[in-house]
Amino acid sequence: MYGMDDFDHSFGLWFIARWLKPDIMIESGAFKGHSTWVLRQAMPDTPIISITPRHPEKYLKKGPAYVDENCTYFAGKYFMDFGSVNWEEALKVRGISDFSRVLVFFDDHQNELKRLKQALKAGFRHLVFEDNYDTGTRYHYSLRQICDQFYIRGGGHSCFRDSDEARIRPKRKKFWEKAVDIDELCGPHEAWWGVRGEMRDNFNHNKTIISYGEHFQNSRFVESILDVYWELPPTAGPSLTHQSRYDPGRAPPPIVEDGRYRLFQRLGLDRLERSVFNGYTQMVYLQISKPES
């Protein structure tokens, strides 16, 4: 309820920050400050820049929130969209000149292709997108949707109602809340890419119809700048966490596999509320570089 409310993503972000050990961390979208707190636990002395429309301190009047002392907030009257910030100047005054030493975390529900292009233009290399929604679901055009292509193993979909996919999807929907059937997946003219043929943006407020050709070219562009694409896995399997939302068939294998209850218990994961395992959305780490001319 304080922003990034999923344990899988919290652990994943903590791990990425600890692994990369950046000189500065930038987050776009903070809400009540949970992701800021996670970054601070990972890197106690590293400066943070937080871009969020409303300052987290405003939420303290109504309940818990986190405000970090070593964080610069572009919030409230000082708010600027990530794509509008002069990053060379903003980082220069903080003594940062090597953009490969910066970690950027997005949890702002914006078109991820747009954010990717903005980050590339600024010169950033290490990005994490928290809400990497599956094809046919949610608020914005995601990297997972962009990379869902026929030429990639396991990618692409069929809107043919007598296909194996059409028969399997309703069965999986009975078990997993976020699973979608063919009617939900496919829009007019059998458009399955993005969300029913739409490229969504800005918390689902902007919906642009795109052709499959445009969707395909978006994928090729992403491939041209992509060095690493890694979806952070769920912490544990559904028989251990009892999660009922995301379809494990559309997610990477968990760190703690189903059946390994003793390990799950030894790690203390059995003491957590089951609800904290219900928000997994294929959070992804990217390493990017400008394409060779």
Side-chain angles (χ1 to χ4, degrees), residues 11 17 20-22 30 71 92-93 115 122 138 147 153 165 171 183 186 189 193 207 216 221 272-273 286-287 289:
F11 174 71
L20 291 175
K21 295 180 172 57
C71 177
K92 182 179 180 181
V93 299
R115 287 295 191 229
R138 307 296 283 187
C147 294
R153 185 169 61 89
E165 182 172 3
K171 296 177 181 179
D183 290 330
C186 298
H189 310 294
W193 48 93
K207 303 176 182 180
F216 177 81
F221 166 74
L272 298 175
E273 293 183 16
L286 302 182
Q287 183 177 320
S289 56

Side-chain angles (χ1 to χ4, degrees), residues 64-78:
Y66 177 76
V67 178
D68 191 88
E69 294 181 356
N70 192 22
C71 177
T72 301
Y73 287 94
F74 291 179
K77 65 179 180 179
Y78 301 108

Side-chain angles (χ1 to χ4, degrees), residues 97-280:
S97 58
D98 185 355
F99 279 37
S100 69
R101 300 288 307 152
V102 180
L103 172 62
V104 184
F105 174 65
F106 293 102
D107 186 13
D108 54 11
H109 299 273
Q110 302 296 301
N111 180 340
E112 292 179 3
L113 179 63
K114 174 181 71 178
R115 287 295 191 229
L116 183 63
K117 290 179 177 179
Q118 292 169 346
L120 180 71
K121 182 179 179 180
F124 296 120
R125 294 205 64 199
H126 301 284
L127 317 176
V128 175
F129 289 89
E130 201 256 340
D131 290 310
N132 188 27
Y133 297 127
D134 202 0
T135 297
T137 65
R138 307 296 283 187
Y139 309 124
H140 58 255
Y141 197 44
S142 70
L143 269 299
R144 175 170 255 258
Q145 292 174 5
I146 294 168
C147 294
D148 195 349
Q149 301 283 347
F150 285 113
Y151 66 89
I152 296 175
R153 185 169 61 89
H157 301 280
S158 170
C159 293
F160 182 53
R161 294 185 177 278
D162 288 332
S163 66
D164 290 340
E165 182 172 3
R167 288 192 290 269
I168 292 171
R169 280 185 172 274
K171 296 177 181 179
R172 301 196 71 82
K173 189 174 174 62
K174 292 178 181 179
F175 296 96
W176 316 110
E177 294 174 26
K178 290 186 178 180
V180 295
D181 59 27
I182 287 295
D183 290 330
E184 294 169 302
L185 178 72
C186 298
H189 310 294
E190 300 187 344
W192 55 262
W193 48 93
V195 180
R196 296 169 60 82
E198 294 176 345
M199 180 171 62
R200 297 188 175 184
D201 191 13
N202 194 25
F203 285 87
N204 213 19
H205 294 303
N206 300 336
K207 303 176 182 180
T208 303
I209 296 174
I210 59 172
S211 67
Y212 179 72
E214 292 172 298
H215 176 65
F216 177 81
Q217 289 303 319
N218 291 338
S219 175
R220 298 313 298 244
F221 166 74
V222 171
E223 281 190 7
S224 73
I225 65 171
L226 201 60
D227 297 320
V228 175
Y229 177 98
W230 179 36
E231 290 182 3
L232 280 297
T235 310
S239 72
L240 298 172
T241 63
H242 302 290
Q243 73 84 17
S244 58
R245 295 188 70 196
Y246 74 86
D247 184 347
R250 300 285 298 171
I255 299 170
V256 182
E257 298 172 340
D258 284 322
R260 304 193 66 187
Y261 181 72
R262 288 187 179 180
L263 177 58
F264 184 76
Q265 190 177 41
R266 191 163 70 245
L267 293 171
L269 298 174
D270 63 320
R271 297 194 295 271
L272 298 175
E273 293 183 16
R274 293 294 179 255
S275 61
V276 304
F277 296 106
N278 256 340
Y280 180 77

Side-chain angles (χ1 to χ4, degrees), residues 46-100:
T46 301
I48 299 173
I49 295 176
S50 182
I51 305 171
T52 194
R54 192 179 188 191
H55 200 295
E57 67 180 5
K58 299 293 184 181
Y59 297 102
L60 287 170
K61 299 175 183 178
K62 297 182 179 180
Y66 177 76
V67 178
D68 191 88
E69 294 181 356
N70 192 22
C71 177
T72 301
Y73 287 94
F74 291 179
K77 65 179 180 179
Y78 301 108
F79 172 74
M80 283 190 292
D81 184 77
F82 175 86
S84 300
V85 177
N86 183 335
W87 286 111
E88 185 174 358
E89 187 65 29
L91 296 183
K92 182 179 180 181
V93 299
R94 292 164 177 82
I96 305 295
S97 58
D98 185 355
F99 279 37
S100 69

